[in-house]
């Protein structure tokens, strides 16, 4: 993590940006070490417990796994919820570049636990960007300090990826507030016992609003109403009616929430049923605000993929170094040896390692762009970084999470039969990871975003700018002339050329033949994520070579070289097939008549 | 299934082989239809129940999911256990080509249930090939009729893939029997309540036997001893001490068996502790006999992969045709439409469909080779088919099961958030499938077999013979000149050329640099399975085109063309990357020092 911060994104340059003066490498190291203590000592030990003894539901009350509430208290009191948030509201004001690393650790420790802060971050972002001063004053500090938590209420039974179908209603009241009525599903930490209040951010339609996504507004609906002095008032009319029985991330309660069914005991005394809600920003601009939460959450879910993959890797390495089975094929040991001696176990571990390092490098570079886009004094620098960050979000989310499926599967595989036994622990990562390619927008939704908003809209300009930067890295690798650099440059060059071809295809066909473009949208995303991750590892090769010449951290830098070369030869080399699928494969995707399925 | 039998393997020719006279297409169709009734009506409805209410263990007794015992009785009474086994012992004597299709259906219906017959088949094969007449007389008919079931007892805590480490002991007794002592783990259906007796086939060492795999013998150890008249005698000294808590296939009990701990009540009256066992064949040839069971089981596990993938496909198609979400990108529907309209959902469904059809075609061709290898009157034909079948076994096992991981993952993905909810059912296939790449030899073990015994040993001759046949198919496709045929031929040609390069590399380096070869063994296996499955779909194109010209089954044949083309462009196209990993990727697999992991 520190290597990426120091060498791939030059954290010291981010620390030149006004507001980030204290965020240099020393700070980063100190923060990471403190975070590691909390993750290792408090949060990670609850991971298996959360799987074996998940959150439970009874009579409207959700009880989380024993230990979770206390751990969250420690998390909040340590100031971790506010790490990236403004000091004005009680946060630490650190750059995302450092925050993302902490979020990765927290998710490696416990994916289910980390979801609660993740959703709260989204709610904070939305209020910061679009909330009125009154809403900010009432809610932000409590969220930033982790006294309360936040949720995102988008999905309804008929409205998943398709938010145009949202039916939840909001009725304006005389006092300027609204009353909200409807059912929301899949609400992560929609109800729990870890904080005093829960601040729901809810998509709903005001009566008379336009149909479709242009008629959706965003509301704050707190579980408990908040008095003028900030103390908690009466229970609002929003209730958890059940939680889901899931394949993984079992400790995180996934709630069905009913808004406005008049169940609150206090309702009888007040003005009838309806959950009291407060408009965020303007009416009918809810989708836009929702994307603020969503983009923060999408990036964070990409980091979840990296995190669970890293955990699976560490688990598998430990087993491979301990389990004795069979003689090495090269005769280097004359008896049964630990399985890490066997080439295919090595191949699996290297695949896991290289995938994680590639995706982490990509995510770190994206985080640094975010920091510059939001805080750099130069408008042009901000704009360039914003474009780059926006291009990266679907890659960080889509590619890192798809990667995590492969890596957690290999994690089970390294364990052999023991991997399939739940007590071993590897299976939990495999089960947990599968949600990551689905929530906060499926891989297909990320791919649509990449094809449409991120590639088609600017005619491939952002994509080509990245290709040009990659070509520069290739040239530097070739100039260095080492075996590793040349091997990486070769694969990088082939992948970049395939990428450019695919971008041209996407831009040319986007309007003429949308089916053809969208038939290849996921292969395009996987190709692009693969390329960008490989590129960052290529940049790492240049850094590592330079530092090796200076005699610095020899073993670590050698490992970087090997890992980057493995990535290039085993993973970047998949790009040829991915490009084929986009460029030649569209016709056969849509050709089968529906009734033939 | 019938298309593959009629056109890819010419079942009518198999029906010319003495002993298979009744096994023509009409028989095949009738058998498949009867099998489908049982699977659909009796076995499939127990699949979810087995997951929710798995086999349980208490005081040495395993209770299977309610309904399983009765379903197994119906299965046995219908003669299904004996389908492929000799009529001499109460079987139906049908070819494997037909039997494999029935096994696929049974596994699609219920992977956990189907494991019991699968293991019994292995025990039957071992006794048929190596058992004495006395053992055959005492055990075979009971196994073939499903009155009793069989198990394979290989694994011990320290001996998984590495059977050289087996420690279970067998002590010769005065009466010619042995007494067996030791612990076996991961014994599928090692204890259950579905049959009157369980016939364990157990690997153990006789005192004084050579070390390693050359000192292992195979024994029959029945749960209940069998009297001379075939009736059940006293309880043998083998006991289940626990069953595993697994991620999937939960209904199938995975037992820890203790041999010879003196726990049987009847032991006190008899000659002291020790499980009574009977030697199969000769001492110290156990590994060889075990491979008979193992090869039957490996093929069958490959079919399990196809089966669970087919089930996941059908489940996903049903959802995609029903779930309404978002407007189609091509504007073909002006409102939200069923998700099967969306290109990426199509791409996922086509990937699932094409993968299943390709692997099924490969498995069918392998089964037909088995039938000819075992029954053809011409010795040369037998020998050729044997070589082909042996080359196919690691592909059917390794490639079809790896495919099933991808397909069951896509099955969850098609369902979006609902896929992660257990009640939807898609998650069970994902959890169940993960064992398939592990048991009966992991994918790496299959790949070692492919590299060593199947490629290296004959200097690549079998591999090259297959490449030559593929080239013939390419030529025929090119000659037909249709768009589909040319598209398939192009990808097939590239893949075959890559395959030949890889085979040359494997043969050349196998002894010189074993690490380099084994570093690429799994990519080599995936490449080869991919190629062979694609080849069989290429052959399907030729058949479908011919039948379309004759006006036969138009929609079905059109779908074959589309599916084959999709496979070529989206899956066969992965071969380039797989070849790169083998040819260029070896160095980086082994380069990282152990302590750097």
């Amino acid at each position: 993590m520190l290597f990426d911060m120091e060498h791939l994104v030059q954290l010291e340059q981010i620390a030149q940006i006004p507001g980030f003066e204290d965020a240099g490498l020393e700070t980063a190291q100190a923060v990471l070490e403190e975070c590691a203590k909390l993750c290792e000592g408090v949060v990670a030990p609850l991971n298996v417990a959360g799987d074996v003894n998940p959150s439970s539901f009874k009579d409207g009350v959700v009880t989380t796994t024993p230990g979770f509430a206390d751990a969250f208290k420690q998390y909040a009191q340590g100031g971790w919820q506010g790490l990236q948030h403004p000091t004005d509201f009680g946060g630490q004001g650190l750059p995302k570049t450092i925050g993302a690393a902490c979020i990765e650790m927290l998710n490696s420790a416990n994916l289910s636990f980390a979801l609660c802060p993740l959703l709260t971050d989204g709610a904070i972002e939305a209020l910061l960007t679009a909330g009125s001063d009154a809403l900010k004053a009432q809610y932000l500090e409590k969220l930033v300090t982790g006294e309360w938590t936040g949720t995102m209420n988008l999905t309804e039974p008929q409205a998943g990826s398709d938010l145009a179908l949202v039916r939840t209603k909001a009725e304006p009241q005389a006092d300027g507030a609204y009353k909200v009525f409807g059912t929301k599903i899949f609400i992560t930490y929609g109800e729990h016992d870890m904080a005093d209040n829960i601040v729901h951010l809810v998509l709903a339609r005001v009566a008379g609003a336009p149909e479709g996504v242009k008629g959706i507004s965003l509301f704050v609906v707190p579980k408990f109403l908040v008095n003028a002095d900030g103390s908690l008032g009466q229970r609002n009319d929003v209730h958890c009616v059940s939680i889901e029985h899931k394949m993984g991330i079992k400790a995180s309660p996934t709630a069905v929430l009913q808004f406005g069914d008049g169940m609150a005991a206090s309702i009888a005394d007040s003005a009838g049923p309806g959950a009291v809600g407060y408009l965020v920003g303007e009416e009918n601009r809810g989708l836009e605000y929702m994307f603020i939460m969503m983009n923060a959450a999408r990036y964070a879910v990409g980091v979840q993929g990296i995190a669970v993959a890293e955990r699976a890797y560490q688990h598998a390495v430990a087993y491979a170094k301990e389990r004795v089975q069979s003689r090495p094929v090269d005769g280097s040991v004359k008896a049964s040896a630990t399985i890490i001696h066997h080439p295919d176990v090595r191949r699996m571990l290297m695949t896991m390692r290289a995938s994680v390092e590639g995706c982490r490098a990509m995510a770190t570079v994206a985080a640094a762009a975010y920091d510059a886009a939001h805080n750099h004094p130069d408008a042009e620098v901000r704009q360039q970084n914003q474009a780059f960050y926006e291009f990266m979000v679907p890659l960080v989310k889509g590619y890192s999470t798809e990667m995590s499926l492969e890596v957690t599967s290999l994690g089970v595989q390294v364990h052999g039969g023991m991997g399939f036994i739940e007590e071993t622990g590897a299976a939990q990562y495999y089960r947990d990871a599968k949600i990551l390619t689905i929530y906060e927008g499926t891989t297909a939704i990320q791919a649509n975003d990449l094809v449409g908003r991120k590639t088609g809209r600017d005619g491939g300009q952002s994509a080509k700018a990245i290709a040009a930067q990659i070509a520069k890295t290739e040239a530097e690798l070739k100039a260095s002339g080492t075996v590793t650099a040349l091997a990486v440059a070769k694969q990088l060059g082939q992948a970049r050329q395939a990428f450019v071809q695919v971008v041209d295809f996407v831009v040319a066909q986007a309007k003429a033949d949308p089916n053809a473009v969208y038939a290849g949208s996921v292969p395009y995303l996987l190709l692009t994520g693969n390329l960008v991750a490989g590129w960052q590892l290529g940049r790492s090769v240049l850094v590592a070579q330079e530092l090796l010449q200076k005699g610095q951290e020899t073993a670590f830098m050698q490992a970087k070289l090997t890992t980057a070369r493995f990535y290039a030869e085993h993973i970047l080399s998949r790009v040829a097939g991915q490009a084929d699928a986009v460029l030649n494969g569209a016709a056969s995707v849509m050709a089968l008549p529906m009734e033939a399925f």
Side-chain angles (χ1 to χ4, degrees), chain A:
Chain A
M1 287 169 166
L2 288 170
F3 173 92
D4 288 352
M5 287 185 203
E6 183 171 359
H7 302 295
L8 295 185
V9 304
Q10 275 107 22
L11 187 66
E12 294 300 340
Q13 282 188 21
I14 295 175
Q16 307 294 317
I17 297 174
F20 289 152
E21 291 85 354
D22 297 334
L25 276 168
E26 262 180 60
T27 303
Q29 179 152 4
V31 169
L32 263 55
E33 279 168 7
E34 274 311 303
C35 186
K37 274 184 209 159
L38 180 78
C39 291
E40 211 172 320
V42 177
V43 184
L46 295 170
N47 190 47
V48 168
D51 192 56
V52 173
N53 184 15
S55 286
S56 59
F57 173 82
K58 202 181 167 194
D59 300 333
V61 175
V62 170
T63 307
T64 53
T65 304
F68 268 50
D70 183 58
F72 186 71
K73 199 162 282 171
Q74 291 185 57
Y75 177 84
Q77 284 170 353
W80 296 103
Q81 183 73 59
L83 200 68
Q84 309 173 43
H85 298 301
T87 48
D88 296 355
F89 297 101
Q92 314 283 328
L94 286 172
K96 191 182 186 83
T97 309
I98 297 175
C102 295
I103 287 173
E104 186 194 324
M105 282 194 227
L106 191 70
N107 277 288
S108 279
N110 195 326
L111 221 49
S112 285
F113 179 88
L115 272 167
C116 188
L118 190 158
L119 272 302
T120 302
D121 278 339
I124 292 168
E125 291 282 345
L127 286 174
L128 275 171
T129 320
S132 66
D133 288 344
L135 279 181
K136 284 182 186 170
Q138 210 157 21
Y139 292 98
L140 268 177
E141 192 172 331
K142 301 279 192 182
L143 288 168
V144 168
T145 57
E147 200 171 324
W148 300 347
T149 68
T151 71
M152 287 168 59
N153 284 245
L154 282 54
T155 307
E156 299 177 10
Q158 78 295 344
S161 300
D162 187 1
L163 293 171
L165 302 178
V166 160
R167 284 191 206 136
T168 295
K169 285 184 308 181
E171 296 176 357
Q173 305 296 302
D175 63 354
Y178 291 74
K179 283 211 166 176
V180 177
F181 300 86
T183 305
K184 294 285 181 181
I185 64 168
F186 294 166
I187 309 309
T188 301
Y189 281 96
E191 179 59 39
H192 63 80
D193 54 3
M194 285 159 48
D196 295 338
N197 202 3
I198 302 174
V199 182
H200 303 295
L201 282 148
V202 184
L203 290 185
R205 289 180 187 287
V206 178
E211 283 200 8
V213 293
K214 287 176 185 161
I216 297 174
S217 304
L218 183 65
F219 298 88
V220 162
V221 181
K223 176 178 169 184
F224 288 98
L225 298 179
V226 181
N227 299 321
D229 65 356
S231 64
L232 293 182
Q234 66 178 29
R235 183 75 165 80
N236 204 353
D237 191 12
V238 46
H239 298 93
C240 177
V241 294
S242 65
I243 62 172
E244 306 291 352
H245 172 222
K246 308 189 298 294
M247 173 160 66
I249 54 161
K250 295 186 183 184
S252 88
T254 303
V256 176
L257 292 184
Q258 194 68 47
F259 292 83
D261 64 359
M263 296 274 289
S266 54
I267 297 299
D269 310 328
S270 71
V276 178
Y278 309 98
L279 184 67
V280 177
E282 297 170 23
E283 277 188 13
N284 301 332
R285 290 180 63 186
L287 201 76
E288 184 187 319
Y289 308 143
M290 188 275 299
F291 265 110
I292 297 163
M293 293 195 280
M294 200 68 154
N295 266 327
R298 285 178 175 180
Y299 178 89
V301 172
V303 173
Q304 291 196 298
I306 299 164
V308 70
E310 171 69 33
R311 177 84 180 252
Y313 168 71
Q314 292 185 17
H315 206 112
V317 165
Y319 186 78
K321 286 184 170 179
E322 174 198 298
R323 170 72 169 169
V324 172
Q325 202 76 177
S326 301
R327 293 182 185 202
V329 286
D330 63 1
S332 59
V333 181
K334 295 294 174 203
S336 295
T338 51
I339 62 172
I340 198 169
H341 283 84
H342 303 317
D344 192 63
V345 172
R346 284 289 181 99
R347 185 191 60 82
M348 292 193 280
L349 294 177
M350 287 301 298
T351 304
M352 299 170 81
R353 176 190 181 96
S355 299
V356 169
E357 288 194 18
C359 287
R360 181 183 295 129
M362 174 168 71
T364 308
V365 167
Y370 176 95
D371 289 326
H374 283 71
N375 300 286
H376 201 279
D378 182 331
E380 204 187 311
V381 174
R382 284 204 302 276
Q383 191 271 323
Q384 277 172 357
N385 277 283
Q386 184 65 26
F388 181 81
Y389 178 71
E390 287 189 0
F391 195 87
M392 286 296 118
V393 169
L395 304 183
V396 171
K397 179 4 174 137
Y399 182 67
S400 305
T401 61
E402 291 285 342
M403 174 280 285
S404 77
L405 301 188
E406 179 180 355
V407 169
T408 54
S409 177
L410 290 173
V412 175
Q413 192 74 19
V414 168
H415 288 81
M418 289 306 296
F420 201 64
I421 308 298
E422 286 289 2
E423 284 77 2
T424 306
Q428 186 186 345
Y429 311 136
Y430 184 69
R431 290 186 287 99
D432 282 356
K434 190 68 198 87
I435 192 60
L436 304 179
T437 58
I438 296 173
Y439 64 17
E440 306 302 342
T442 64
T443 306
I445 296 289
Q446 306 305 320
N448 288 355
D449 181 41
L450 182 69
V451 161
R453 278 181 290 273
K454 310 299 168 66
T455 307
R457 189 178 284 175
D458 74 356
Q461 211 181 308
S462 300
K464 294 287 181 69
I466 289 168
Q469 290 186 61
I470 294 172
K472 233 182 106 214
T473 302
E474 286 166 39
E476 290 170 31
L477 286 164
K478 281 185 198 153
S480 92
T482 64
V483 174
T484 297
L486 292 175
V488 172
K490 183 185 151 203
Q491 294 288 348
L492 207 51
Q494 288 173 357
R496 174 185 48 83
Q497 285 161 24
F499 172 65
V500 170
Q501 269 191 292
V502 165
V503 168
D504 285 340
F505 173 84
V506 166
V507 172
Q509 300 295 321
K511 285 195 176 146
D513 190 357
N515 275 342
V517 168
Y518 287 94
S521 60
V522 167
Y524 169 45
L525 179 144
L526 297 177
L527 183 161
T528 309
N530 192 344
L531 172 64
V532 171
W535 168 39
Q536 295 309 325
L537 292 182
R539 293 183 60 216
S540 306
V541 167
L542 294 169
V543 173
Q545 289 187 157
E546 200 184 314
L547 294 174
L548 277 168
Q549 281 180 342
K550 294 184 189 160
Q552 278 178 32
E553 296 186 81
T554 317
F556 180 87
M557 297 304 160
Q558 287 288 6
K560 270 282 168 217
L561 297 184
T562 300
T563 306
R565 182 171 172 188
F566 182 93
Y567 189 95
E569 288 169 345
H570 289 260
I571 303 174
L572 251 186
S573 56
R574 296 174 189 171
V575 161
Q578 291 162 336
D580 237 343
V582 181
L583 300 172
N584 303 316
S588 58
V589 170
M590 299 300 289
L592 203 68
M594 217 157 296
E595 63 277 11
F597 280 92

